[in-house]
Amino acid sequence: MHHNLIVEGTGLQFMTQDVEENWAAEIAVHLKNRFGLSVREAAPIDKGWLNVKWKMITDQGPVFVKYYHPERYKLHARPERRSAIEKTLQLQNGLSAAGIPCPGVYLFNGQFIQETPSGLFYTVLDWVDGYTAQAGCLNAAQM
């Protein structure tokens, strides 16, 4: 069962102490240090295999955060995977900058994938309200 992480003041308070909330807390601290975003709340999004995603409410609005689970991506051991994901995120960010309706990706020191001091890999994107279209149900304009 997932609970929202509540961040108050300078300390983080947890409703439960599980691993995913510890990841969210570590990433929240990193977001403050790296991008100046003060996370007030992190709500997990249950989609995908192993990766953990959150809608994080910050003092500058909501953002989407995706944690790249080491068992799925092995980014420390497979730098070519990190490079491929970076290229994909760069393309997405370029599409967003060109006015295509997709979330922009946060960039820091030329990198779209961020790494916390303990080695958690994650990315931060603009939050966009909506839903994921079902496979096979996109029209030409959406594609």
Side-chain angles (χ1 to χ4, degrees), residues 7 9 16-17 28 31 46 53 57-58 74 87 97 108 118-119 124 129 142:
V7 181
T16 64
Q17 291 290 329
L31 285 172
D46 293 322
K53 302 165 190 79
I57 307 301
T58 76
K74 299 178 177 32
K87 286 179 184 171
F108 184 82
S118 78
V124 186
D129 286 322
Q142 290 169 319

PDB file of all heavy atoms in Angstrom, residues 7 9 16-17 28 31 46 53 57-58 74 87 97 108 118-119 124 129 142:
ATOM      1  N   VAL A   7       6.033  16.506   3.283  1.00  0.00           N
ATOM      2  CA  VAL A   7       7.251  17.228   3.581  1.00  0.00           C
ATOM      3  C   VAL A   7       6.846  18.542   4.236  1.00  0.00           C
ATOM      4  O   VAL A   7       6.097  19.313   3.675  1.00  0.00           O
ATOM      5  CB  VAL A   7       8.059  17.493   2.290  1.00  0.00           C
ATOM      6  CG1 VAL A   7       9.329  18.223   2.599  1.00  0.00           C
ATOM      7  CG2 VAL A   7       8.332  16.191   1.562  1.00  0.00           C
ATOM      8  N   GLY A   9       8.321  22.002   6.429  1.00  0.00           N
ATOM      9  CA  GLY A   9       9.464  22.751   6.915  1.00  0.00           C
ATOM     10  C   GLY A   9      10.751  22.244   6.297  1.00  0.00           C
ATOM     11  O   GLY A   9      10.828  21.976   5.118  1.00  0.00           O
ATOM     12  N   THR A  16       4.490   6.369   6.560  1.00  0.00           N
ATOM     13  CA  THR A  16       5.005   5.014   6.728  1.00  0.00           C
ATOM     14  C   THR A  16       6.481   5.040   6.365  1.00  0.00           C
ATOM     15  O   THR A  16       6.943   5.939   5.681  1.00  0.00           O
ATOM     16  CB  THR A  16       4.277   3.986   5.828  1.00  0.00           C
ATOM     17  OG1 THR A  16       4.540   4.317   4.471  1.00  0.00           O
ATOM     18  CG2 THR A  16       2.789   3.959   6.090  1.00  0.00           C
ATOM     19  N   GLN A  17       7.236   4.032   6.812  1.00  0.00           N
ATOM     20  CA  GLN A  17       8.668   3.977   6.528  1.00  0.00           C
ATOM     21  C   GLN A  17       8.948   2.830   5.569  1.00  0.00           C
ATOM     22  O   GLN A  17       9.375   1.775   5.976  1.00  0.00           O
ATOM     23  CB  GLN A  17       9.451   3.786   7.843  1.00  0.00           C
ATOM     24  CG  GLN A  17       9.429   4.970   8.766  1.00  0.00           C
ATOM     25  CD  GLN A  17      10.244   6.127   8.212  1.00  0.00           C
ATOM     26  OE1 GLN A  17      11.222   5.930   7.523  1.00  0.00           O
ATOM     27  NE2 GLN A  17       9.817   7.338   8.505  1.00  0.00           N
ATOM     28  N   ALA A  28      13.705  14.185  -3.067  1.00  0.00           N
ATOM     29  CA  ALA A  28      13.174  15.502  -2.704  1.00  0.00           C
ATOM     30  C   ALA A  28      14.289  16.432  -2.231  1.00  0.00           C
ATOM     31  O   ALA A  28      14.338  17.607  -2.616  1.00  0.00           O
ATOM     32  CB  ALA A  28      12.095  15.362  -1.630  1.00  0.00           C
ATOM     33  N   LEU A  31      16.293  17.396  -5.283  1.00  0.00           N
ATOM     34  CA  LEU A  31      15.581  18.387  -6.099  1.00  0.00           C
ATOM     35  C   LEU A  31      15.763  19.797  -5.544  1.00  0.00           C
ATOM     36  O   LEU A  31      15.897  20.757  -6.302  1.00  0.00           O
ATOM     37  CB  LEU A  31      14.094  18.053  -6.173  1.00  0.00           C
ATOM     38  CG  LEU A  31      13.684  16.897  -7.077  1.00  0.00           C
ATOM     39  CD1 LEU A  31      12.209  16.585  -6.890  1.00  0.00           C
ATOM     40  CD2 LEU A  31      13.987  17.202  -8.524  1.00  0.00           C
ATOM     41  N   ASP A  46       1.300   4.375  -9.776  1.00  0.00           N
ATOM     42  CA  ASP A  46       1.494   2.936  -9.979  1.00  0.00           C
ATOM     43  C   ASP A  46       1.398   2.566 -11.450  1.00  0.00           C
ATOM     44  O   ASP A  46       0.349   2.193 -11.945  1.00  0.00           O
ATOM     45  CB  ASP A  46       0.457   2.138  -9.171  1.00  0.00           C
ATOM     46  CG  ASP A  46       0.680   2.275  -7.679  1.00  0.00           C
ATOM     47  OD1 ASP A  46       1.843   2.311  -7.261  1.00  0.00           O
ATOM     48  OD2 ASP A  46      -0.312   2.351  -6.946  1.00  0.00           O
ATOM     49  N   LYS A  53       7.470   6.031  -9.866  1.00  0.00           N
ATOM     50  CA  LYS A  53       7.174   7.362 -10.364  1.00  0.00           C
ATOM     51  C   LYS A  53       6.333   8.103  -9.328  1.00  0.00           C
ATOM     52  O   LYS A  53       5.564   7.473  -8.609  1.00  0.00           O
ATOM     53  CB  LYS A  53       6.431   7.274 -11.691  1.00  0.00           C
ATOM     54  CG  LYS A  53       7.195   6.518 -12.756  1.00  0.00           C
ATOM     55  CD  LYS A  53       6.268   6.153 -13.908  1.00  0.00           C
ATOM     56  CE  LYS A  53       6.921   5.203 -14.858  1.00  0.00           C
ATOM     57  NZ  LYS A  53       6.918   3.822 -14.394  1.00  0.00           N
ATOM     58  N   ILE A  57       4.538  17.556  -5.580  1.00  0.00           N
ATOM     59  CA  ILE A  57       4.044  18.924  -5.490  1.00  0.00           C
ATOM     60  C   ILE A  57       5.153  19.765  -4.873  1.00  0.00           C
ATOM     61  O   ILE A  57       5.612  19.483  -3.763  1.00  0.00           O
ATOM     62  CB  ILE A  57       2.771  19.008  -4.617  1.00  0.00           C
ATOM     63  CG1 ILE A  57       1.707  18.008  -5.105  1.00  0.00           C
ATOM     64  CG2 ILE A  57       2.224  20.432  -4.584  1.00  0.00           C
ATOM     65  CD1 ILE A  57       1.261  18.190  -6.537  1.00  0.00           C
ATOM     66  N   THR A  58       5.592  20.780  -5.617  1.00  0.00           N
ATOM     67  CA  THR A  58       6.672  21.639  -5.138  1.00  0.00           C
ATOM     68  C   THR A  58       6.160  23.062  -4.962  1.00  0.00           C
ATOM     69  O   THR A  58       5.028  23.377  -5.350  1.00  0.00           O
ATOM     70  CB  THR A  58       7.849  21.663  -6.138  1.00  0.00           C
ATOM     71  OG1 THR A  58       7.511  22.486  -7.259  1.00  0.00           O
ATOM     72  CG2 THR A  58       8.235  20.256  -6.592  1.00  0.00           C
ATOM     73  N   LYS A  74      20.157  -1.089 -14.718  1.00  0.00           N
ATOM     74  CA  LYS A  74      21.585  -1.310 -14.458  1.00  0.00           C
ATOM     75  C   LYS A  74      22.438  -0.162 -15.036  1.00  0.00           C
ATOM     76  O   LYS A  74      23.443  -0.397 -15.719  1.00  0.00           O
ATOM     77  CB  LYS A  74      22.021  -2.668 -14.992  1.00  0.00           C
ATOM     78  CG  LYS A  74      21.298  -3.835 -14.341  1.00  0.00           C
ATOM     79  CD  LYS A  74      21.730  -5.153 -14.922  1.00  0.00           C
ATOM     80  CE  LYS A  74      21.108  -6.371 -14.279  1.00  0.00           C
ATOM     81  NZ  LYS A  74      19.792  -6.315 -13.746  1.00  0.00           N
ATOM     82  N   LYS A  87      19.514  10.300 -24.672  1.00  0.00           N
ATOM     83  CA  LYS A  87      19.160  10.737 -26.032  1.00  0.00           C
ATOM     84  C   LYS A  87      17.651  10.825 -26.207  1.00  0.00           C
ATOM     85  O   LYS A  87      17.142  11.759 -26.813  1.00  0.00           O
ATOM     86  CB  LYS A  87      19.775   9.796 -27.065  1.00  0.00           C
ATOM     87  CG  LYS A  87      21.261   9.976 -27.218  1.00  0.00           C
ATOM     88  CD  LYS A  87      21.854   9.010 -28.222  1.00  0.00           C
ATOM     89  CE  LYS A  87      23.369   9.169 -28.247  1.00  0.00           C
ATOM     90  NZ  LYS A  87      24.023   8.132 -29.042  1.00  0.00           N
ATOM     91  N   ALA A  97      10.113  21.830 -26.504  1.00  0.00           N
ATOM     92  CA  ALA A  97      10.565  23.197 -26.795  1.00  0.00           C
ATOM     93  C   ALA A  97      10.041  23.687 -28.145  1.00  0.00           C
ATOM     94  O   ALA A  97       9.833  24.887 -28.333  1.00  0.00           O
ATOM     95  CB  ALA A  97      12.093  23.260 -26.769  1.00  0.00           C
ATOM     96  N   PHE A 108      20.395  19.471 -16.059  1.00  0.00           N
ATOM     97  CA  PHE A 108      21.387  20.007 -15.131  1.00  0.00           C
ATOM     98  C   PHE A 108      22.767  19.564 -15.598  1.00  0.00           C
ATOM     99  O   PHE A 108      23.016  18.366 -15.770  1.00  0.00           O
ATOM    100  CB  PHE A 108      21.129  19.503 -13.701  1.00  0.00           C
ATOM    101  CG  PHE A 108      22.048  20.102 -12.682  1.00  0.00           C
ATOM    102  CD1 PHE A 108      21.786  21.358 -12.146  1.00  0.00           C
ATOM    103  CD2 PHE A 108      23.189  19.425 -12.272  1.00  0.00           C
ATOM    104  CE1 PHE A 108      22.635  21.923 -11.215  1.00  0.00           C
ATOM    105  CE2 PHE A 108      24.041  19.984 -11.335  1.00  0.00           C
ATOM    106  CZ  PHE A 108      23.763  21.236 -10.802  1.00  0.00           C
ATOM    107  N   SER A 118      23.850   9.042  -3.160  1.00  0.00           N
ATOM    108  CA  SER A 118      23.893   7.607  -2.859  1.00  0.00           C
ATOM    109  C   SER A 118      23.754   6.743  -4.115  1.00  0.00           C
ATOM    110  O   SER A 118      23.829   5.525  -4.040  1.00  0.00           O
ATOM    111  CB  SER A 118      22.795   7.231  -1.864  1.00  0.00           C
ATOM    112  OG  SER A 118      21.551   7.139  -2.525  1.00  0.00           O
ATOM    113  N   GLY A 119      23.523   7.375  -5.285  1.00  0.00           N
ATOM    114  CA  GLY A 119      23.466   6.616  -6.529  1.00  0.00           C
ATOM    115  C   GLY A 119      22.082   6.321  -7.065  1.00  0.00           C
ATOM    116  O   GLY A 119      21.933   5.460  -7.929  1.00  0.00           O
ATOM    117  N   VAL A 124      13.369  14.311 -14.025  1.00  0.00           N
ATOM    118  CA  VAL A 124      12.293  15.222 -13.638  1.00  0.00           C
ATOM    119  C   VAL A 124      11.694  15.823 -14.900  1.00  0.00           C
ATOM    120  O   VAL A 124      12.422  16.296 -15.768  1.00  0.00           O
ATOM    121  CB  VAL A 124      12.815  16.380 -12.754  1.00  0.00           C
ATOM    122  CG1 VAL A 124      11.664  17.237 -12.248  1.00  0.00           C
ATOM    123  CG2 VAL A 124      13.661  15.874 -11.620  1.00  0.00           C
ATOM    124  N   ASP A 129      -1.316  17.273 -16.929  1.00  0.00           N
ATOM    125  CA  ASP A 129      -2.534  16.537 -16.612  1.00  0.00           C
ATOM    126  C   ASP A 129      -3.002  15.792 -17.852  1.00  0.00           C
ATOM    127  O   ASP A 129      -2.845  16.255 -18.975  1.00  0.00           O
ATOM    128  CB  ASP A 129      -3.644  17.490 -16.143  1.00  0.00           C
ATOM    129  CG  ASP A 129      -3.394  18.003 -14.738  1.00  0.00           C
ATOM    130  OD1 ASP A 129      -2.914  17.223 -13.888  1.00  0.00           O
ATOM    131  OD2 ASP A 129      -3.669  19.187 -14.486  1.00  0.00           O
ATOM    132  N   GLN A 142      -2.372  12.678 -32.923  1.00  0.00           N
ATOM    133  CA  GLN A 142      -1.715  12.296 -31.680  1.00  0.00           C
ATOM    134  C   GLN A 142      -0.363  11.641 -31.925  1.00  0.00           C
ATOM    135  O   GLN A 142       0.555  11.809 -31.151  1.00  0.00           O
ATOM    136  CB  GLN A 142      -2.622  11.360 -30.879  1.00  0.00           C
ATOM    137  CG  GLN A 142      -3.843  12.051 -30.318  1.00  0.00           C
ATOM    138  CD  GLN A 142      -4.860  11.073 -29.757  1.00  0.00           C
ATOM    139  OE1 GLN A 142      -5.113  10.022 -30.343  1.00  0.00           O
ATOM    140  NE2 GLN A 142      -5.438  11.421 -28.628  1.00  0.00           N
TER     141      GLN A 142
END
